[in-house]
């Protein structure tokens, strides 16, 4: 069987550049779509060095995405840093939570294979199990599912992943894009899609969409670092109050 790949490379045009010539720099990750059987996709991607990828079972298409650039990585890192601050605040208060923050966790479900930019396991038992499993976390084999996932979009819209995430059992998703900024999503049975936007996190109630937008305004400043710490302290206080009898 012959397979044909389709690639997508968003680029910035240089003033005066002739049509058909290569621009100076891509604006986002390179994406390649390749029709293939699911069994072949699983064989190609079932290892720790596999690229970012997903499988569209409905169309029989594998999507491979090249490594994202610094702007993408910096926002995913800001989310990971927030949860490092939350853990530190809780540990200072004598309550180490045992969270597991995993960048680029591979998740497998009946909808296909997915790789959130950041995954947070809040339940300590689930966090321990997730650390012990190599390769994909297969929801069909009762592997642990992240409580919260984050997707940072530079050029490829990841909204199509939200339905599969919530069907897996993910409790909440955070997304960021140039068009919409930060958005908090939660499962919503009353919505035709099965999920909807919310202004306040359900997994970490003190966090609002405005807070998340401010956090992901990545300017690398000391003020931004302090914002992350203040948000973490607010979240830690709420976690402690919920844990009290």
């Amino acid at each position: 069987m012959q397979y044909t790949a389709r690639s997508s490379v968003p680029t910035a045009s240089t003033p005066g550049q002739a049509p058909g010539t290569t621009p100076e720099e891509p604006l986002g990750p390179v994406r390649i779509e390749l029709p293939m059987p699911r069994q072949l996709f699983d064989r190609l991607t079932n290892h720790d060095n596999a690229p970012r990828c997903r499988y569209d079972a409905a169309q029989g298409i594998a999507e491979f995405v090249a490594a994202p650039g610094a702007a993408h990585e910096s926002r995913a890192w800001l989310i990971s840093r927030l949860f490092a601050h939350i853990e530190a605040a809780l540990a200072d208060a004598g309550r180490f939570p045992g969270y597991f923050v995993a960048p680029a966790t591979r998740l497998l479900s009946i909808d296909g294979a997915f790789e959130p930019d950041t995954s947070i396991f809040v339940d300590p038992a689930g966090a321990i199990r997730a650390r012990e499993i190599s390769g994909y976390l297969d929801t069909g084999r009762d592997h642990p599912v992240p409580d919260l996932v984050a997707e940072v979009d530079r050029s490829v819209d990841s909204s199509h992943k939200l339905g599969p995430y919530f069907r897996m059992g993910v409790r909440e998703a955070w997304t960021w894009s140039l068009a919409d900024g930060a958005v908090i999503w939660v499962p919503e049975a009353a919505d035709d899609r099965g999920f909807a936007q919310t202004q306040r996190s359900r997994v970490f109630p003190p966090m609002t969409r405005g807070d998340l937008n401010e956090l992901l305004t990545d300017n690398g400043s000391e003020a931004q670092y302090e914002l992350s710490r203040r948000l973490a302290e607010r979240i830690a206080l709420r976690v402690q109050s919920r844990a009290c009898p």
Side-chain angles (χ1 to χ4, degrees), residues 17-217:
Q17 177 184 305
T21 59
T22 303
E24 289 188 353
E25 99 179 277
L27 290 176
V30 177
R31 181 180 65 180
I32 297 175
E33 295 178 353
L34 183 66
M36 67 172 60
R38 173 62 180 271
Q39 295 86 345
L40 176 58
F41 173 81
D42 290 342
R43 286 171 53 196
L44 292 174
T45 58
N46 190 23
H47 58 87
D48 289 340
N49 294 320
R52 293 181 59 209
C53 55
R54 64 177 290 270
Y55 188 76
D56 187 332
Q59 300 185 59
I61 294 177
E63 176 188 291
F64 300 91
V65 183
H72 174 283
E73 290 297 300
S74 64
R75 288 183 171 86
W77 177 79
L78 286 170
I79 293 172
S80 296
R81 184 175 69 179
L82 170 68
F83 284 93
H85 284 159
I86 295 170
E87 276 202 322
L90 286 168
D92 288 344
R95 188 180 181 276
F96 182 70
Y99 296 158
F100 178 37
V101 181
T105 303
R106 297 187 179 96
L107 305 173
L108 191 62
S109 75
I110 59 173
D111 292 298
F114 301 89
E115 189 174 335
D117 293 314
T118 303
S119 299
I120 295 93
F121 295 81
V122 175
D123 175 61
I128 291 171
R129 289 187 61 212
R131 289 188 183 96
E132 294 172 344
I133 297 172
S134 59
Y136 282 100
L137 294 178
D138 188 345
T139 59
R141 297 172 59 188
D142 198 32
H143 286 175
V145 177
D147 294 277
L148 189 152
V149 298
E151 290 281 1
V152 178
D153 296 344
R154 288 288 294 174
S155 61
V156 179
D157 182 8
S158 63
S159 60
H160 62 279
K161 301 180 184 180
L162 295 174
Y165 284 151
F166 292 128
R167 284 191 290 272
M168 291 179 200
V170 172
R171 297 164 54 197
E172 185 168 306
W174 295 353
T175 61
W176 183 92
S177 67
L178 290 170
D180 300 321
V183 183
I184 299 174
W185 303 89
V186 293
E188 181 54 70
D191 191 286
D192 292 339
R193 299 171 300 176
F195 57 89
Q197 297 184 26
T198 181
Q199 294 300 312
R200 185 176 296 274
S201 171
R202 293 181 184 174
V203 176
F204 296 99
M207 172 70 77
T208 67
R209 181 179 179 180
D211 292 332
L212 189 57
N213 257 320
E214 190 174 0
L215 177 71
L216 297 184
T217 303

Side-chain angles (χ1 to χ4, degrees), residues 211-244:
D211 292 332
L212 189 57
N213 257 320
E214 190 174 0
L215 177 71
L216 297 184
T217 303
D218 182 16
N219 56 19
S221 68
E222 183 178 352
Q224 186 187 49
Y225 181 86
E226 289 303 320
L227 169 66
S228 180
R229 292 188 60 178
R230 290 196 306 272
L231 286 174
E233 289 169 359
R234 283 169 46 199
I235 291 171
L237 284 173
R238 179 65 66 87
V239 170
Q240 287 176 270
S241 67
R242 287 190 299 185
C244 292

